[in-house]
Amino acid sequence: MSIEFDRNKDMKIILHIIKKEFLQFMRDPKMVAINIIAPAIQLLVFTYAATLDVREVSMIVCDHDNSYYSRQLLSGFTNSGYFRTVESTTRSADIDIALIETRASVGIVIPAGFGNDLLAGKQPQIQALADGSDANSSGIGLAYASQIINRYIGLQLAGSSGPRKTALLSVTPEIRIWYNPELSSRNFMVPGVLGLLLMIMTMMLTSLAIVKERENGTMDQLLVTPIKSYQLIIGKLTPFFCIGVIDILLVMLVATQWFGVPVRGSHPLLFSLCLLFIMTTLGLGLFISTVSSNQQQAMMTAIFFVMMPMIYLSGFVFPIENMPQIIQALTYLLPLRYFYTIIRGIFLRGSGLAELWPHALALLIFGVGILSLSVTRFRRKLE
């Protein structure tokens, strides 16, 4: 009877702390906007901005052949939607000037005799130049250009009676792209933005709110009350956990209904593993609050020691496979790496727990570990 009474009393104290935290949160309209509305807006902005798709690449054309075939090839560029002809010239030197003055990103030179070579069944030569100062856009633009050129020349030579016909028809590659057949970077980026927003909102909010309370002196007032340390920790973290749940629902709603990104896997599994990730970020936020004496320190610690490594090394921006071996080894220390594998697997490949359990287990170990360490440090500081 006494034990049950103590449990009820403990639960009442925790509920009072949670209520106090929610009231404090709701009294600040800016915080409500930042934590409830901002994630949806950020998802909209980030997803439109964070795309690797290249459209309407500015192109300068130097057509020395000026034949039916050369014009047909160039129309293939503009009709693809990937290129936009900004200038035509008859002097190859003008291409260098256009690239230097950034009036164009890609230059196409079609030599004289292009059409005659096609009619004769010979493999014609075409020069493609690109501004390498933007390696990403240039590389993708050249890849698009190569596909358009090879497809057109292949079709023309296949219909000719020249010596190249037999060689071209001997191999017919049949390419199939699974899970993201449109190769839309949006389908790849939206799940990544979900992980990024969850990390920022829950970790930053937890660390700043606790440090702010310590700065204002209200934490000291709580310490002189009979509230136990575990009651205070549960009461402090629960509201931020609830806010994280709301953010998950909002972001998933925008991702699926606005952007049309499919969730091919299990929705309950996706939601459950998002909660597991929130446990990790809440632990990180609590840990940062224990090593920071003011809000400025908490923010700088969160940005430079947690957020930036997570963003750059987790696979959100750069492929982990392209990193040096020692950096790849360091990425295993980042919970966001495992979370990205999980959410992209569920969103795009329809993976289930049978395929994702190693990553879920790693996330669980990180979550329990960082939360235990943070709670231990927080209790020591309270004492």
Side-chain angles (χ1 to χ4, degrees), residues 11 24 29 37-38 51 64 68 145 147 152 157 172 204 218 220 242 257 263 270 284 301 309 324 334 341-342 349 361:
M11 184 56 67
Q24 187 173 341
I37 301 174
T51 175
H64 292 296
Y68 165 78
Q147 288 182 10
Y152 178 76
L157 290 181
T172 305
M204 292 288 287
T218 51
D220 295 332
C242 295
Q257 301 303 316
V263 181
L270 175 62
L284 285 171
T301 302
L334 304 175
T341 304
I342 289 171
R349 291 191 294 273
L361 179 62

Side-chain angles (χ1 to χ4, degrees), residues 319-341:
I320 294 176
E321 294 77 11
N322 293 349
M323 299 175 187
Q325 289 295 325
I326 187 170
I327 302 296
Q328 289 190 34
L330 290 176
T331 63
Y332 287 103
L333 300 175
L334 304 175
L336 197 58
R337 172 199 168 114
Y338 305 101
F339 187 61
Y340 277 156
T341 304

Side-chain angles (χ1 to χ4, degrees), residues 351-362:
S351 303
L353 194 58
E355 295 82 19
L356 298 174
W357 72 265
H359 307 281
L361 179 62

Side-chain angles (χ1 to χ4, degrees), residues 176-236:
R176 294 179 180 175
I177 301 171
W178 291 358
Y179 312 125
N180 186 14
E182 305 88 9
L183 288 178
S184 171
S185 63
R186 180 170 299 165
N187 290 350
F188 177 77
M189 283 293 180
V190 166
V193 173
L194 167 63
L196 199 61
L197 288 176
L198 284 181
M199 178 186 68
I200 293 174
M201 300 308 296
T202 53
M203 183 183 68
M204 292 288 287
L205 185 65
T206 305
S207 59
L208 291 178
I210 294 176
V211 173
K212 178 183 177 183
E213 197 154 358
R214 196 184 302 145
E215 282 183 314
N216 294 338
T218 51
M219 184 68 78
D220 295 332
Q221 295 174 5
L222 288 174
L223 293 179
V224 297
T225 64
I227 297 175
K228 299 174 183 175
S229 57
Y230 76 89
Q231 295 170 335
L232 185 58
I233 292 171
I234 295 174
K236 285 286 181 189

